[in-house]
Amino acid sequence: MEKTIAIIRGDGIGPEIVGEALGVLDAVAKKFGHKFIYKEAPMGGNAIDQFGVPLPEESLKTCLASDGVLLGAVGGPKWDAQPPENRPEKGLLKLRNGLGVYANLRPAKMFPAISAACPLRKDIAERGIDFIVVRELIGGVYFGEHKTETRDNERVATDVMSYSEHEIRRIAHVAFQTAKGRRKKVTSVDKANVLTTSRLWREIVEGVAKEYPDVELNHMYVDNAAMQLVKDPGQFDVIVTENMFGDILSDEASQITGSIGMIPSASLGQPGRPGLYEPIHGSAPDIAGQDKANPIGTILAAAYLLRYSLGMEAEARAIEDAVSAVLDEGWRTGDIAQTGEKVIGCREMGRLIRERI
Ligand code: IPM
Ligand code: MG
């Protein structure tokens, strides 16, 4: 098969981790007889430097015309002084919105080989961690009105959070569909004791649940969910939640599995339209350019791209098996190494995974 993949290298460690993921994709293309055509789409701080805006029109077009988009990470202190409308993160939000990718799937699964990196008590970790956060990605407070005005001689800042029925309904369907292929349990996370959006959320999710009688649904307040994630993560199968709660809980979820550097994500919209694939971590400017980053999150994101956008299940598995094999052999980047373990760099980790495809 011949497929076009839009590539956003981004900022900080972005170019390093994307470089390793492309090496792995090349190995997959060779082994399975595919041709992947890479089209560069600058986005983030580097795009601000080159074009003055975080998401040039041309980049969005390239992404829309592709079969799938692979992204490293964007942002860094260099662009902190940019006006809010022109920050690197704004490029990412515009891209998500432009692609219409409303469903963000973020798995939290512990690789047995690195269970020692799990910060939770041993008896909790041993019960296993394997759930997925389904985060609404293009609604809520991220996309509501943002303004600062002056009232009574002081500044007042406002961010508006709103959700419409169709936005809730479509993400709920993704959660129930996902649960059907797993342990058939959905936990919907909200703050219905305080927020109106959450009350609508609950009502709509309950309506959708009726279409999935074989899937169990429970509701949880977000503060309790944050606590349950560290107390008893084994209880979760699929967590569905709104944009900002999902942002926060998915960082917590990833960290309890050992390292945020290992977790990929898939952002999906209408079937047939390109999905967006990225690791869930940021651009880590403090270690950029030092060959220290863990490329596994991005490499696994490339596997997701093959699975969800290109329909290449065997190829995706080949990548995931190669990652597991390298971890089982004991290879570790700094973020997942225990004291005394030998640490390898980003390039070496990429090479080892590539060789095992
Ligand atoms: C994420 C990130 C982004 C988000 C930032 C960079 C805008 O934290 O993908 O989780 O908040 O969605
Ligand atoms: Mg985040």
Side-chain angles (χ1 to χ4, degrees):
M1 273 203 251
E2 186 174 306
K3 295 285 179 188
T4 303
I5 302 175
I7 305 297
I8 303 176
R9 295 178 195 263
D11 310 314
I13 58 170
E16 298 165 60
I17 53 181
V18 169
E20 296 316 316
L22 293 184
V24 172
L25 281 175
D26 286 340
V28 167
K30 195 162 166 219
K31 172 158 184 190
F32 291 86
H34 301 306
K35 186 167 180 203
F36 298 139
I37 300 160
Y38 306 127
K39 294 259 166 79
E40 301 281 337
M43 200 259 283
N46 62 93
I48 298 174
D49 291 347
Q50 285 182 75
F51 308 101
V53 289
L55 178 65
E57 198 59 37
E58 208 43 47
S59 291
L60 179 58
K61 272 199 202 138
T62 302
C63 292
L64 283 167
S66 71
D67 293 304
V69 183
L70 183 67
L71 162 67
V74 297
K78 183 176 174 197
W79 303 281
D80 273 352
Q82 289 284 329
E85 263 313 296
N86 218 44
R87 289 182 61 95
E89 291 82 359
K90 204 71 190 185
L92 179 58
L93 298 184
K94 282 190 172 147
L95 178 67
R96 288 172 176 169
N97 200 36
L99 291 171
V101 287
Y102 60 84
N104 182 217
L105 311 185
R106 299 187 161 186
K109 187 172 177 166
M110 200 156 64
F111 282 87
I114 61 158
S115 62
C118 171
L120 301 182
R121 229 174 42 217
K122 210 160 178 270
D123 59 308
I124 299 176
E126 271 162 5
R127 265 178 266 148
I129 300 176
D130 180 8
F131 61 91
I132 184 159
V133 178
V134 176
R135 170 188 176 193
E136 199 292 324
L137 201 60
I138 55 175
V141 72
Y142 273 59
F143 289 88
E145 191 193 353
H146 307 287
K147 65 174 180 196
T148 309
E149 60 202 328
T150 303
R151 267 189 246 149
D152 299 329
N153 285 324
E154 64 171 356
R155 284 171 304 156
V156 179
T158 308
D159 299 290
V160 177
M161 175 165 179
S162 76
Y163 268 103
S164 63
E165 296 183 17
H166 84 273
E167 288 176 314
I168 303 168
R169 196 170 294 118
R170 65 187 181 184
I171 191 74
H173 277 291
V174 173
F176 283 100
Q177 291 288 353
T178 306
K180 275 182 83 159
R182 299 177 45 100
R183 299 195 309 278
K184 301 189 174 50
K185 185 177 171 195
V186 170
T187 303
S188 173
V189 170
D190 63 36
K191 189 72 186 173
N193 48 349
V194 178
L195 301 177
T196 321
T197 43
S198 285
R199 284 190 279 268
L200 182 63
W201 181 278
R202 222 174 241 230
E203 191 189 314
I204 300 295
V205 170
E206 270 171 10
V208 172
K210 296 204 174 80
E211 296 176 45
Y212 300 88
D214 54 333
V215 178
E216 182 197 332
L217 168 70
N218 71 326
H219 300 281
M220 199 177 273
Y221 294 140
V222 62
D223 48 350
N224 184 27
M227 180 175 77
Q228 294 297 330
L229 277 175
V230 289
K231 195 174 162 213
D232 179 20
Q235 71 183 285
F236 296 111
D237 180 23
V238 175
I239 292 177
V240 62
T241 191
E242 67 89 35
N243 203 345
M244 189 165 66
F245 297 162
D247 177 46
I248 298 167
L249 293 181
S250 62
D251 268 30
E252 186 186 359
S254 67
Q255 194 53 46
I256 61 172
T257 67
S259 168
I260 193 168
M262 308 275 298
I263 314 280
S265 85
S267 304
L268 309 171
Q270 301 281 358
R273 298 197 45 194
L276 173 63
Y277 302 85
E278 50 180 316
I280 82 157
H281 60 73
S283 61
D286 53 320
I287 57 163
Q290 299 170 33
D291 193 31
K292 281 186 181 163
N294 183 350
I296 293 180
T298 318
I299 289 170
L300 292 174
Y304 271 19
L305 189 154
L306 298 181
R307 173 174 294 129
Y308 292 113
S309 281
L310 308 187
M312 298 180 175
E313 177 61 30
E315 291 83 339
R317 284 257 159 112
I319 295 182
E320 289 162 352
D321 290 347
V323 168
S324 295
V326 167
L327 292 173
D328 288 344
E329 287 162 30
W331 303 101
R332 303 283 184 267
T333 43
D335 57 321
I336 49 173
Q338 298 301 299
T339 359
E341 272 180 344
K342 187 174 172 297
V343 170
I344 59 167
C346 179
R347 282 198 295 271
E348 178 74 352
M349 184 56 101
R351 184 182 66 78
L352 290 164
I353 294 169
R354 210 156 58 229
E355 280 175 7
R356 280 154 188 77
I357 295 290

